[in-house]
Amino acid sequence: MDQLAITEKDGANYHLYILEGALNAYTMGEFQNTLYEAVIFKNIVLDMSQLVELDPSGVGFLMAAFNDAEEYGHKLYFLSLSNEAEKALAATGFKNEFHLINSITEAT
């Protein structure tokens, strides 16, 4: 089973989470509550460039967090998708609905 490592950084108008490893039903754990709470208070950027796995549970979690952010007037950005993350989001049919960015400077 892969692990999920998370590094956090604060920006001027966003909070950044750098995700490394696998985001799946086994690794979401505490991060699920953390992200759901964070999107209430500010814009969030998820650096997904180092994800090696994103399973349907992880995608569902991200979609719920994305919707929560929108509900509270904030944005959840997906930064630099890895190939695995790209494929998983494309499989939803909603990839173009997400806020996809290639640079942290695009987070407003």
Side-chain angles (χ1 to χ4, degrees):
M1 175 172 50
D2 289 316
Q3 298 293 318
L4 177 64
I6 303 167
T7 305
E8 297 183 51
K9 296 181 181 178
D10 269 321
N13 59 339
Y14 61 86
H15 191 75
L16 171 67
Y17 294 96
I18 302 168
L19 309 177
E20 295 180 60
L23 183 58
N24 58 38
Y26 301 105
T27 63
M28 289 187 310
E30 282 183 33
F31 183 55
Q32 189 170 9
N33 292 333
T34 300
L35 186 59
Y36 285 154
E37 291 175 14
V39 297
I40 294 171
F41 299 107
K42 79 186 320 187
N43 295 330
I44 303 297
V45 177
L46 299 180
D47 181 338
M48 300 169 71
S49 62
Q50 299 175 57
L51 279 182
V52 296
E53 179 188 352
L54 180 58
D55 77 355
S57 298
V59 171
F61 155 56
L62 293 177
M63 290 177 78
F66 181 86
N67 290 334
D68 285 355
E70 297 286 312
E71 183 177 321
Y72 286 97
H74 296 112
K75 291 185 179 177
L76 176 60
Y77 295 97
F78 299 152
L79 171 65
S80 301
L81 300 177
S82 67
N83 287 337
E84 291 75 13
E86 173 95 26
K87 289 176 194 172
L89 292 178
T92 67
F94 297 106
K95 181 182 163 207
N96 293 330
E97 301 299 318
F98 298 119
H99 303 294
L100 306 176
I101 59 176
N102 294 310
S103 169
I104 196 72
T105 59
E106 296 177 59
T108 57

